[in-house]
Amino acid sequence: MRKWKSLAKKSIVSAASVVLIASCLGAAPIYASESNSEVPAVVEQNTPSVVAIIGKPTSDTNKSWEKNRYNLAHGTGVIVESDGVIVTNAHVVKDMKNIVVVTSNGTTYNGRATNIDEESDLALVKIDATNLHAATFGSSSDIEVGETVAAIGTPISFALRNSVTVGIVSGIDRSVNSQYQLIQTDAAINPGNSGGALINMKGEVIGINTMKYADVGVENLGFAIPVDTVKYVLNHFKLYGKVKRPYLGVELEESWEAVVGLPSSTGLRVAYVDPDSPAAEAGIKQDDLLLSVGGTSVKTMVDYNEALKKYLPNDSVEIKLQSGAESVSKTITLGEAQSSETASIDDEEGSDIDADRGKTKIGDSHYGWSMKYPSGLVKGQQSEEGDKVSFADAKGEFYLSIEVESNLSDELSPSALLNKLDGSDTQDYGASTTILERQYVKQDKAPYGKIVGRSGDNGYVQTRGYLHNGKLYTVKLYVAKEQYNNSFKQNSFNDLLDSFQLSFDSKDEALKDISVYSEDGATHTNEYGLSLDLPSGWEESSYKGGTSFYNDDYSQNVNVTVTSASSGETLKAWVERESKNFENEYVADYRKIEHPEALTLAGVPALKVAYSQTYGDDEWDAGYSLYFIKDKYKYEIDFTYPGDEDQDEVSKTLGELTSSIKVDKNLMDKELGFIQDIHELMDPDRTVTYKNDKYKYSLHVPETWTIGDAYDDKDEARKNFYFNGGNLTIQADTKESYEDLVKEEDASQKKNHDNDSEYTYSDSEVTLPSGEQAKKYVVHYSYDKKPYQETVYIFHHNHISYTATLHISDAVRTDENEARLNKAFDSIKFQDK
């Protein structure tokens, strides 16, 4: 399998890793050029311009991994200005915080990412320094295939910074996993080389190393960003603070030949047109072929992006297209592509690469415990509430866990405590444990239960349990057998356990607080890059149609639905369609909907629609729907609540929700494709055929209805067809006659009316469209103050009696809904006809 690898690998920097890496390094390929006297001189000239960059990687999925002080990422940079401006790859510093830059002479500086452009994979880092050795840049037009080049960088380990490899330029104008052309080289480029310099034998930087090709049997296939692209990006950074890219508003698709690397004579197919874009305004349509931009022929995406580099937003450009059999030219004023602003990230605990420097103790301020903090102790998993946390030694010598269980009695006897610890120990490690020691240790400050056990042949577990203020603190240490039998190690392990205290001194600056307990809400991020803040106590539901959350009494709900924007879709048209669907679903007296309100969400135009509906019982269900389109996806966020809810509280929750909404395309699932909005395709009048082979009938029901059994009827005698606010039920009976069913229904209807005069009904003899004679009852009543109409038909065919019930709430009894219900029943046919 082919693998394109960016080279900012997250490396664990330790003495052990350096030894391991050094032992694995083989001899490098020998080039004739290596004996050339030019190489040492050129390297000596350029090495002062190359720096090593190291920092703490961030993680969206594992914050404990992010906090591990031994997990560090590194890359390389090139000094472009003597006052501390450094160019590197965007992927090196994008998710890196607490950046540290080390120059070739070993001087260390704190750095910050000032500009990041992911499309070109270039970024700037600034350090506070002067009189640095700035690199000399060459020109892409002077690069020749076959010329000797050297790559300088920090491969594999930070201890190998300013390593040099030599090779040749293997190719130019390469199109590989990049928006722009790349240089191919066989100079060895390895993880960590990202952002380093590719230099020619004139001592000029001709590229910034960016990626390598990795596969079994493949060697020395690396790529660099050409110097002209670097200059283009740096110039934009200097002038505008970002790369100002023109925006046409189309998504393009390459031909088969272009995809596989064959010369292509076909232009780029327009696969999608953004709504309200320059392309849409110019009349460019899906399936048009884009032939040229400003006179430059474009047959690949790289061609297209290289052509656009010549223009700025608001520039006019001539676009040539083939639309059907016709060739057309259009002069279009370009818009500006949106780019995400990325700021330098520092750890919440400071800008030092080791935020734990000076911390000799660790603990939890909320649960009130602390202990010694050896330099090799690395925090692992921690529960959301912070009541469970695990640690591991950086060298893998031991594993430690601390768990706090609340709502226990401090009156638990020593024997009961030991029994509890013994049981939990066996559960946790999942194997029969041979007990080597068990005792209740009495001491003035905090007596505890202690159990030492052998778990199989692999190691030893020591468990200590402390009762304090209604909580049980369970501390467990797992040690491998070879470590446990080392008396020196065993003493250090016991010293760590003995340091555990049921107190937390907030004034102790040497004490690191790992508490994560919070009464605030949580931030939720989904697969579509959408993040939003939810109130404290809200939980996620198992609703499958989207992402849904609810409060503690289920009265308030937030539901998120994400679909793709079809080519040419607009926000206005989408919201008008949704509002029309709502209006068509409810009778006017039972619904309210306000005119859409314009606002901005996730940095793009959005619309907010307030609505409410009732079934007639004076209880209204209310809500707000938020709509916006970004990065080809439509985001709908529905917030629902009872209509009588305190409006100040509703406004507060809605305000917090809307202000927190963000979309980051980098957080989108990489496998996301086109997600059809089925509401665009839905036809409420389109029907499907239902057949009941056992009871010999069929009918056509709207495909938007839900078909299901009312009860557990395996013989299909009773069948239900549901829609919002109503249903059609057909009951087949082979035992009771038509006459008996009519008598029973007559009696039931009369009884209901006699018991409640508001229960009104009428009956008549009718002929069904299928030709059967039937008794028809039409009922009007309010159940729980919710008025409805119910029509009952009793008829028979071939010794089978049928009862059909058409139920519809007055709230949804629009002409359209009632017509669909009646039409579905009228479509009934019998299979022997």
Side-chain angles (χ1 to χ4, degrees):
M1 181 180 293
R2 296 184 303 169
K3 299 177 182 176
W4 293 106
K5 292 189 176 179
S6 294
L7 302 174
K9 290 296 181 182
K10 296 171 175 60
S11 306
I12 296 178
V13 180
S14 65
S17 67
V18 174
V19 172
L20 176 62
I21 293 163
S23 68
C24 297
L25 292 177
I30 298 176
Y31 294 92
S33 60
E34 289 188 58
S35 62
N36 193 315
S37 60
E38 292 178 324
V39 175
V42 166
V43 170
E44 183 180 3
Q45 174 188 343
N46 281 271
T47 292
S49 302
V50 180
V51 299
I53 300 173
I54 192 169
K56 299 172 69 173
T58 60
S59 170
D60 294 309
T61 57
N62 189 347
K63 291 300 178 184
S64 61
W65 183 89
E66 179 182 316
K67 291 290 186 180
N68 184 341
R69 65 202 295 193
Y70 288 94
N71 280 328
L72 300 170
H74 74 270
T76 310
V78 177
I79 299 170
V80 295
E81 292 183 17
S82 62
D83 60 350
V85 179
I86 297 161
V87 67
T88 184
N89 284 147
H91 74 258
V92 170
V93 294
K94 173 180 172 287
D95 296 317
M96 183 185 284
K97 59 186 180 182
N98 297 17
I99 295 171
V100 169
V101 174
V102 181
T103 59
S104 61
N105 63 8
T107 306
T108 299
Y109 300 90
N110 287 336
R112 63 187 184 279
T114 58
N115 306 86
I116 293 178
D117 182 64
E118 294 182 62
E119 284 78 1
S120 64
D121 195 25
L122 291 169
L124 288 183
V125 171
K126 182 69 173 68
I127 60 175
D128 293 330
T130 57
N131 298 320
L132 297 178
H133 190 287
T136 300
F137 286 90
S139 173
S140 294
S141 61
D142 294 334
I143 302 173
E144 295 182 350
V145 175
E147 72 171 300
T148 301
V149 289
I152 307 178
T154 310
I156 307 298
S157 166
F158 201 70
L160 303 180
R161 58 186 182 272
N162 287 83
S163 294
V164 179
T165 57
V166 178
I168 61 171
V169 172
S170 305
I172 54 178
D173 298 343
R174 297 306 199 212
S175 170
V176 183
N177 270 26
S178 173
Q179 285 201 23
Y180 304 116
Q181 294 167 344
L182 297 176
I183 302 169
Q184 178 187 336
T185 179
D186 67 348
I189 294 176
N190 291 292
N193 273 114
S194 284
L198 186 69
I199 57 176
N200 61 19
M201 293 302 99
K202 298 177 185 177
E204 299 170 335
V205 174
I206 62 168
I208 298 297
N209 301 322
T210 183
M211 67 177 74
K212 71 175 291 185
Y213 182 99
D215 202 353
V216 176
V218 176
E219 296 180 358
N220 303 329
L221 189 57
F223 295 88
I225 302 166
V227 64
D228 282 4
T229 299
V230 177
K231 291 177 180 178
Y232 161 75
V233 172
L234 294 182
N235 185 52
H236 276 240
F237 281 165
K238 186 173 184 178
L239 293 175
Y240 316 115
K242 63 178 182 179
V243 178
K244 295 185 70 171
R245 286 187 174 82
Y247 163 72
L248 184 58
V250 291
E251 182 174 319
L252 301 169
E253 184 179 273
E254 294 178 328
S255 67
W256 176 83
E257 289 85 357
V259 170
V260 301
L262 289 169
S264 174
S265 60
T266 306
L268 297 165
R269 188 182 76 87
V270 176
Y272 177 83
V273 180
D274 287 340
D276 303 323
S277 66
E281 292 174 5
I284 296 178
K285 302 183 297 296
Q286 194 171 2
D287 292 327
D288 285 351
L289 286 178
L290 179 62
L291 304 177
S292 68
V293 175
T296 301
S297 176
V298 292
K299 298 174 183 177
T300 68
M301 287 304 302
V302 168
D303 290 344
Y304 174 74
N305 290 319
E306 289 285 351
L308 285 182
K309 279 166 58 176
K310 303 172 185 176
Y311 300 92
L312 286 171
N314 298 318
D315 284 350
S316 293
V317 60
E318 184 182 25
I319 302 290
K320 288 189 177 181
L321 301 154
Q322 182 175 325
S323 185
E326 184 182 1
S327 295
V328 294
S329 294
K330 296 177 181 290
T331 300
I332 298 177
T333 300
L334 298 166
E336 182 174 354
Q338 292 189 358
S339 60
S340 57
E341 297 294 328
T342 306
S344 184
I345 312 168
D346 278 341
D347 192 279
E348 59 202 18
E349 295 166 325
S351 60
D352 198 293
I353 193 171
D354 181 10
D356 295 347
R357 181 178 294 176
K359 303 294 184 181
T360 59
K361 288 176 278 187
I362 195 168
D364 190 302
S365 58
H366 176 74
Y367 290 102
W369 62 263
S370 59
M371 66 179 187
K372 285 184 178 179
Y373 186 22
S375 60
L377 193 68
V378 177
K379 192 179 78 164
Q381 297 296 323
Q382 187 172 19
S383 65
E384 290 186 4
E385 296 295 317
D387 55 348
K388 298 178 183 178
V389 62
S390 64
F391 300 90
D393 176 57
K395 297 180 181 179
E397 293 182 348
F398 65 85
Y399 172 88
L400 181 72
S401 70
I402 298 171
E403 180 174 352
V404 184
E405 185 179 353
S406 301
N407 302 318
L408 292 177
S409 171
D410 288 341
E411 298 177 357
L412 209 63
S413 68
S415 62
L417 173 60
L418 289 171
N419 273 330
K420 186 172 180 63
L421 295 177
D422 190 10
S424 66
D425 185 62
T426 302
Q427 280 183 351
D428 278 355
Y429 289 94
S432 59
T433 301
T434 301
I435 295 178
L436 303 175
E437 181 180 348
R438 178 171 59 206
Q439 63 173 310
Y440 184 75
V441 180
K442 296 181 179 179
Q443 58 180 20
D444 294 336
K445 289 187 177 181
Y448 60 91
K450 175 183 177 182
I451 295 177
V452 179
R454 184 168 58 232
S455 180
D457 296 326
N458 297 321
Y460 295 81
V461 181
Q462 181 173 156
T463 305
R464 297 187 182 188
Y466 303 79
L467 283 171
H468 182 65
N469 292 338
K471 295 182 178 67
L472 173 61
Y473 296 77
T474 303
V475 183
K476 292 185 180 180
L477 179 74
Y478 177 84
V479 183
K481 184 176 181 179
E482 59 272 18
Q483 303 296 336
Y484 185 81
N485 291 330
N486 183 321
S487 59
F488 175 79
K489 294 288 186 183
Q490 194 174 111
N491 289 333
S492 66
F493 298 148
N494 285 328
D495 178 62
L496 178 61
L497 289 172
D498 289 342
S499 73
F500 184 82
Q501 298 181 25
L502 296 174
S503 62
F504 185 95
D505 184 359
S506 59
K507 297 180 181 179
D508 188 348
E509 294 184 357
L511 176 55
K512 176 181 174 65
D513 188 3
I514 62 169
S515 177
V516 295
Y517 182 84
S518 173
E519 295 182 354
D520 296 332
T523 298
H524 170 78
T525 302
N526 67 13
E527 296 84 351
Y528 310 101
L530 175 74
S531 64
L532 49 83
D533 293 342
L534 295 165
S536 176
W538 281 50
E539 296 185 17
E540 185 171 4
S541 77
S542 58
Y543 172 66
K544 299 299 182 185
T547 305
S548 190
F549 307 90
Y550 54 87
N551 64 353
D552 54 0
D553 63 358
Y554 302 95
S555 63
Q556 296 183 2
N557 177 277
V558 169
N559 187 66
V560 178
T561 305
V562 182
T563 56
S564 293
S566 298
S567 185
E569 174 79 293
T570 65
L571 178 63
K572 181 181 178 182
W574 175 31
V575 174
E576 285 178 351
R577 185 170 61 247
E578 292 290 305
S579 299
K580 188 67 174 177
N581 289 340
F582 176 77
E583 291 174 345
N584 289 340
E585 192 169 357
Y586 293 93
V587 175
D589 291 343
Y590 294 84
R591 60 168 163 80
K592 299 174 184 176
I593 185 167
E594 296 182 7
H595 188 74
E597 176 186 340
L599 69 161
T600 300
L601 294 175
V604 297
L607 290 174
K608 177 176 72 174
V609 179
Y611 62 91
S612 58
Q613 75 274 345
T614 181
Y615 284 93
D617 55 356
D618 296 329
E619 293 184 5
W620 289 75
D621 293 320
Y624 290 91
S625 290
L626 307 170
Y627 303 90
F628 63 94
I629 301 176
K630 186 169 186 177
D631 296 325
K632 300 188 300 180
Y633 288 96
K634 301 191 302 187
Y635 296 83
E636 178 181 350
I637 303 167
D638 299 303
F639 170 48
T640 59
Y641 59 92
D644 59 358
E645 195 84 276
D646 183 289
Q647 289 302 304
D648 289 339
E649 287 297 319
V650 168
S651 297
K652 179 182 177 183
T653 302
L654 181 64
E656 293 173 350
L657 177 69
T658 55
S659 64
S660 71
I661 292 173
K662 297 181 179 65
V663 174
D664 184 350
K665 65 187 304 182
N666 298 306
L667 300 179
M668 289 182 175
D669 191 311
K670 303 303 182 186
E671 298 180 358
L672 280 180
F674 187 83
I675 306 170
Q676 181 71 62
D677 180 358
I678 59 174
H679 288 172
E680 293 180 32
L681 307 177
M682 193 175 292
D683 179 359
D685 293 314
R686 184 179 176 87
T687 61
V688 294
T689 302
Y690 168 76
K691 290 184 178 180
N692 192 314
D693 293 328
K694 182 167 185 176
Y695 294 99
K696 308 298 181 184
Y697 70 89
S698 66
L699 72 164
H700 305 292
V701 297
E703 67 176 2
T704 56
W705 289 11
T706 300
I707 302 175
D709 296 330
Y711 303 102
D712 185 17
D713 295 324
K714 295 181 180 179
D715 63 354
E716 300 288 324
R718 183 182 178 95
K719 204 69 181 179
N720 246 323
F721 307 89
Y722 302 95
F723 59 93
N724 178 38
N727 63 281
L728 167 61
T729 303
I730 298 179
Q731 173 79 52
D733 196 324
T734 58
K735 296 180 179 179
E736 290 206 61
S737 67
Y738 165 76
E739 290 77 15
D740 288 341
L741 287 177
V742 168
K743 286 180 183 179
E744 291 173 7
E745 189 66 27
D746 284 340
S748 176
Q749 295 289 351
K750 185 176 184 305
K751 182 179 179 181
N752 288 337
H753 174 70
D754 292 342
N755 289 339
D756 188 344
S757 60
E758 292 187 2
Y759 184 97
T760 62
Y761 75 96
S762 62
D763 58 62
S764 59
E765 302 283 344
V766 298
T767 300
L768 301 180
S770 58
E772 281 67 35
Q773 297 299 307
K775 184 70 177 287
K776 177 181 179 181
Y777 304 85
V778 179
V779 175
H780 292 277
Y781 188 57
S782 291
Y783 179 76
D784 274 352
K785 299 182 180 180
K786 299 175 182 177
Y788 67 87
Q789 175 180 288
E790 192 167 84
T791 305
V792 180
Y793 294 91
I794 299 175
F795 54 98
H796 66 101
H797 181 85
N798 280 355
H799 310 294
I800 301 175
S801 299
Y802 300 90
T803 302
T805 304
L806 288 66
H807 181 98
I808 185 168
S809 167
D810 281 9
V812 300
R813 192 152 62 94
T814 64
D815 291 342
E816 294 81 6
N817 282 337
E818 192 168 20
R820 291 186 196 104
L821 179 59
N822 290 328
K823 185 177 179 180
F825 172 69
D826 289 345
S827 71
I828 192 166
K829 292 181 180 178
F830 297 95
Q831 295 175 13
D832 59 339
K833 288 192 173 182

